Amino acid sequence: MVCLGNICRSPLADGLLKSKVEELGLDVKVDSAGTSNYHVGHSPDARMRATARERGISIDELEARQFIVQDFDDFELIYAMDQSNFQNIIALARTPEDKAKVHLILNESHPNKNLEVPDPYFGGDQGFIEVYELLDEATDAIIKNRLMQ
Ligand code: 4NP
């Protein structure tokens, strides 16, 4: 799960998918990162943590890290939250196989629409709730489309 800062959207996507994978007893490794180094080592944004906690998901333990080329070797699926993240990840790809691992996350729940998870960082509380709803739906779709085959 990859966004810009790894403090808002990707930590929530990570926490939601981890929680669902665990509940289903699936053996899947889930992690998150940011394309930037702005917040490396920081906890998720307090507003995202609160929105998650109120809905039964804890993302308090995550520490932000930057996406690295090694992630192409360590993961089969790489989900970008928006087009900018997508392009930044693609720019690091070494091979067509690396590129093929990268997807816009909302294409799982809204196929072929190329929708983006809006960056909530500079907005109000409603933005965090919207991010939660979009990522709850997208992580359900990932389970159904990719992990339960
Ligand atoms: P995220 O949100 O990419 O969902 O973690 C952001 C966090 C920080 C910044 C931008 C977006 N920033 O500019 O510091």
Side-chain angles (χ1 to χ4, degrees), residues 3-11 38-39 85 119-122:
C3 61
L4 176 62
N6 194 210
I7 57 167
C8 297
R9 293 165 292 177
S10 61
Y38 304 156
H39 295 279
N85 312 146
D119 181 349
Y121 189 66
F122 295 105

